[in-house]
Each structure stands twice: as C-alpha cells, then as structure tokens.
Amino acid sequence: MKFLIAILGLLVVLGLSYIASNNKKNIRYKPLIIMVVLQVILAFVLLNTLAGAVLIKGFSSMFEKLLGYAHTGIEFVFGGLLNEGQFSFFLSVLLPIVFISALIGILQYIKVLPFIVKYIGLVLSKINGMGKLESYNAVASAILGQSEVFISVKKQIGLLPKHRLYTLCASAMSTVSMSIVGSYMQILDPKYVVTALVLNLFGGFIIASILNPYKVEPEDDILQVQEEEKQSFFEVLGEYILDGFKVAIIVAAMLIGFIAMIALVNGLFSGIIGISFQELLGYIFAPFAFIMGIPWKDAVDAGSIMATKMVSNEFVAMLELEKYPNLSARAVGIVSVFLVSFANFSSIGIIAGAVKGLHEKQGNVVARFGLKLLYGATLVSVLSAIIAGLFIK
C-alpha cells in the first residue's frame, strides 16, 4: 500500500510542479528520471542498509563529539546558570552553532571546503543537466548557508538572467547550512537529518528543472568563485565565530517571536471558532501528509507541524513534534525529513536581502518571484519525505 501512496504522492508533486512551470516545452525528462532513481537508491542505502547505518552513525558521532567540545566553551562562559539536569534550548542547541561555524571558517581558510564544493558541484552538473554554477551553488548552500553562499558567486550575480537566478535561490532555500545541522540532530533522529540533506540536494534540481526549465549554453557555463580577501588565520576564525553567534541570536529571536505569535493566534482562533489556528492548518495540510506516506490517523497532527514550519521556521516545527507523543514512528520519521530545509516565509526575505546586498536590481527580481521560491522549496521537502517514506517502517 505504501508504494501505491508513494507513486500517487510523486505524481502529485511532479504534477503541481508541471502546472506552475514557466516553460513546459523545455522540460528535459531524462535527467529528472535519473535524479528520482538516484534519490530512491540513496534513501534505501541510508535507511535500509548496514553501510548507511554505519555512515549515519559516523556522521552523528562526529557531531556528538563536536557538540561536546562546544559545550566546554559554553560551560566556561555560562556555567552555573542552570541547575544539574536542567535543559536550556539556547545554551544546549543554539550556542554550539558558534563552534561549528568556527570549524567551517578553518576549513574555508585551508581551502578544504572550496575544493570539495567545487568538484562535487562539477560531478553533479553531469548528472542534473544544469550549469556548473547551479551545481556549485547547491553544494555550497548546504555548507555555507542560504545567505552566505551568494557572496562566493557575487561576480556573476549581476550577469545572470532571471531563470538561472531562480535556480540558485531555490537551491539555497531547499538545503540547510552545515553549521546548523548539529542543532537539528539534538532534536531529530540523525538518520532522518542526514537522509533529508542528501535527498534535498537532488530534489532541488528535480523541482527546479520542471518549474524553471532551461539549457545553459557552453559559452555561458562559467563558474567564477569569488576569492575571499586575504586574511590572517585569526581574522577568519574571529569572523566565523561572530557569524555563528549572530546566527544563534537571530534564531533565538525568531523562536521567541514566532512561538509567542503562534500562541496568540491559537488563543484567538480557539476563543472565536473553538479550534486553534494550528489545528485548522492541520486539516488543510493533512492530504499532503497522507501522500507523503503518513497514516491517515496521524495526518492532521502531521499537517499541523508541516504548516507550522512553513509559516514560522523549521526549529519551531521541530519543537512542536514533542507535543504529539502519540504520533506513530513512521509519521515522526517522514515529518522529520520534511522539516529539514529552510522552506518558510521568512527565508524569502533572507534570500532576497542577501542578493540585494550584492546587487540591488537582482535583489528586487528575487523578491518578485519569492512566493514561487517557497512553492518550489516546499515541493522539494514533500518529495524528499515521499522518497524517504518508502523505507521508513
């Protein structure tokens, strides 16, 4: 039964992408089929094989150790604020971002990350049929983040036509930055986080290839990665540490605001119509939860969590999962995969602002197709959840 639902879900996602396509005649189906098959194979390996379990355990153990080192610094500065056994989301989940960001800065400085990103991107471009720039950007987004990635290609931002700019922004919204992955792993099962990271990379290309199909001519297929201004090791380290702290503070502020606003809106809806805003959204999103492979008895609750992610952010939605202890293990797994992306309304402003800071005219272009960006990135999350659902028991 779950295979039939997965096929239905796949048809719905591809159909919704096709309906919104801006150039249906130019859709190339061969790369699409290859990438969907690759997604299925990768999901099977990660979720159903010993090799996948070993890979995920290794990835998880690495982040566990890194978070342990991060807590050494946090304990030194904030030690004594909590009693033994107490938990603070800010101290335990958000502040480790500072240390992970510092590590990314070091890997950038010694040229390890630029090398990995560039050559994985080149390999991807052979698979997805898109340009080198698009493929580089997708990999770089998964490491650097949805705003920082544009700095590395700022030489080309002003030269890009609208359709190529859309693909770059769609990749940035569909993936998540490596600095924040450790925080996700403290809330969700690491195997679902890793699976989502891999599937979203290909899912972004699949949906963008339907919504926004085009062919990059060889003379335009140029990748110019911006070399950062030469800095000393400690300048780079200090810069990335501060960037990590800014991210932690921004996420904390957004959580305070969004969770409070959702509580307010829920209270208003409950008082006026007898049903909370999140419950209402749950009924609207329930059919999408069902085609992702979530049992119908869990579909409304899962739909509520999915909607929360879209109207607020993924952290708020991840914390909502704890409020539904009766969700089946299958529903929790599928929803977890769906939640690992930046597909929400606030990301439209973040991405448009990042591009506008580098090129004002192109920033305005991004703002105009902002809703289509969110539409596409949400379909990427649904697609990844459908594929993962084939192998979640």
Side-chain angles (χ1 to χ4, degrees), residues 6-86:
I7 291 169
L8 171 64
L10 188 61
L11 291 174
V12 169
V13 169
L14 297 180
L16 288 172
S17 304
Y18 184 82
I19 289 168
S21 175
N22 57 20
N23 196 345
K24 296 179 176 66
K25 292 180 181 177
N26 276 1
I27 297 173
R28 288 174 291 159
Y29 294 97
K30 185 179 175 182
L32 289 179
I33 294 167
I34 291 171
M35 286 189 284
V36 170
V37 171
L38 270 174
Q39 277 193 313
V40 172
I41 293 169
L42 290 167
F44 172 76
V45 170
L46 289 169
L47 295 172
N48 265 32
T49 68
L50 181 60
V54 169
L55 181 68
I56 289 168
K57 186 177 181 182
F59 197 72
S60 173
S61 297
M62 178 188 74
F63 269 97
E64 195 175 317
K65 287 179 181 176
L66 292 177
L67 292 172
Y69 298 137
H71 283 297
T72 304
I74 295 166
E75 178 66 24
F76 179 80
V77 176
F78 294 99
L81 286 182
L82 300 177
N83 295 324
E84 190 68 34
Q86 275 188 309

Side-chain angles (χ1 to χ4, degrees), residues 8 48 107 112 147 177 254:
L8 171 64
N48 265 32
L107 293 174
V112 170
S147 54
S177 60
M254 291 179 74

Side-chain angles (χ1 to χ4, degrees), residues 71 81-94 96 183 186-187 319 322:
H71 283 297
L81 286 182
L82 300 177
N83 295 324
E84 190 68 34
Q86 275 188 309
F87 175 80
S88 163
F89 186 83
F90 180 69
L91 297 182
S92 301
V93 178
L94 296 185
S183 300
Q186 294 187 76
I187 311 171
L319 295 174
E322 298 174 2

Side-chain angles (χ1 to χ4, degrees), residues 89-147:
F89 186 83
F90 180 69
L91 297 182
S92 301
V93 178
L94 296 185
L95 279 187
I97 293 171
V98 177
F99 176 62
I100 304 297
S101 180
L103 287 180
I104 290 173
I106 293 169
L107 293 174
Q108 280 282 92
Y109 181 80
I110 62 177
K111 306 296 183 185
V112 170
L113 280 187
F115 178 83
I116 292 171
V117 169
K118 185 174 182 178
Y119 286 98
I120 291 178
L122 290 175
V123 171
L124 275 179
S125 68
K126 304 294 182 186
I127 298 169
N128 59 36
M130 288 189 166
K132 294 173 187 173
L133 176 63
E134 287 84 346
S135 300
Y136 163 86
N137 187 81
V139 182
S141 296
I143 294 174
L144 302 176
Q146 64 179 340
S147 54

Side-chain angles (χ1 to χ4, degrees), residues 148-390:
E148 295 86 346
V149 68
F150 294 105
I151 297 171
S152 67
V153 292
K154 65 182 180 182
K155 284 183 179 179
Q156 288 173 267
I157 290 288
L159 306 173
L160 292 174
K162 179 181 176 181
H163 53 271
R164 294 191 73 185
L165 186 61
Y166 175 90
T167 301
L168 263 60
C169 294
S171 294
M173 192 181 281
S174 300
T175 53
V176 294
S177 60
M178 199 57 66
S179 63
I180 218 163
V181 166
S183 300
Y184 292 162
M185 287 183 174
Q186 294 187 76
I187 311 171
L188 306 176
D189 189 322
K191 70 181 178 183
Y192 300 131
V193 176
V194 175
T195 301
L197 291 175
V198 174
L199 296 184
N200 287 351
L201 191 61
F202 289 98
F205 290 127
I206 291 168
I207 301 302
S209 295
I210 301 172
L211 281 176
N212 181 48
Y214 59 88
K215 185 175 181 181
V216 180
E217 297 302 326
E219 62 269 21
D220 297 323
D221 195 12
I222 301 166
L223 175 60
Q224 293 180 329
V225 180
Q226 175 75 16
E227 289 289 331
E228 292 186 11
E229 186 182 331
K230 192 65 178 174
Q231 294 174 297
S232 72
F233 174 79
F234 288 103
E235 280 181 306
V236 171
L237 187 59
E239 188 177 298
Y240 274 83
I241 286 171
L242 288 176
D243 284 345
F245 187 68
K246 287 174 191 172
V247 170
I249 295 296
I250 289 167
V251 172
M254 291 179 74
L255 286 173
I256 292 167
F258 277 120
I259 290 173
M261 285 299 298
I262 288 171
L264 170 65
V265 175
N266 279 340
L268 290 173
F269 271 71
S270 295
I272 296 170
I273 62 175
I275 182 173
S276 74
F277 179 62
Q278 281 175 287
E279 285 178 292
L280 186 63
L281 289 177
Y283 286 104
I284 296 170
F285 274 75
F288 291 97
F290 180 72
I291 64 166
M292 281 162 44
I294 291 172
W296 184 251
K297 67 182 179 66
D298 296 322
V300 174
D301 289 342
S304 174
I305 297 166
M306 291 163 60
T308 299
K309 181 226 179 169
M310 199 174 82
V311 300
S312 55
N313 64 43
E314 72 282 4
F315 270 116
V316 178
M318 288 174 188
L319 295 174
E320 282 291 309
L321 260 176
E322 298 174 2
K323 299 178 182 177
Y324 297 92
N326 295 325
L327 277 179
S328 65
R330 177 170 169 77
V332 169
I334 293 172
V335 169
S336 295
V337 173
F338 175 86
L339 295 181
V340 182
S341 83
F342 288 144
N344 56 66
F345 282 103
S346 59
S347 287
I348 298 173
I350 292 169
I351 292 173
V355 175
K356 193 164 188 172
L358 299 171
H359 195 285
E360 186 166 352
K361 184 179 176 183
Q362 294 288 60
N364 293 333
V365 172
V366 173
R368 283 196 289 271
F369 59 56
L371 285 177
K372 192 169 184 178
L373 267 182
L374 179 59
Y375 180 80
T378 303
L379 288 177
V380 171
S381 294
V382 173
L383 177 61
S384 294
I386 290 167
I387 300 295
L390 287 169

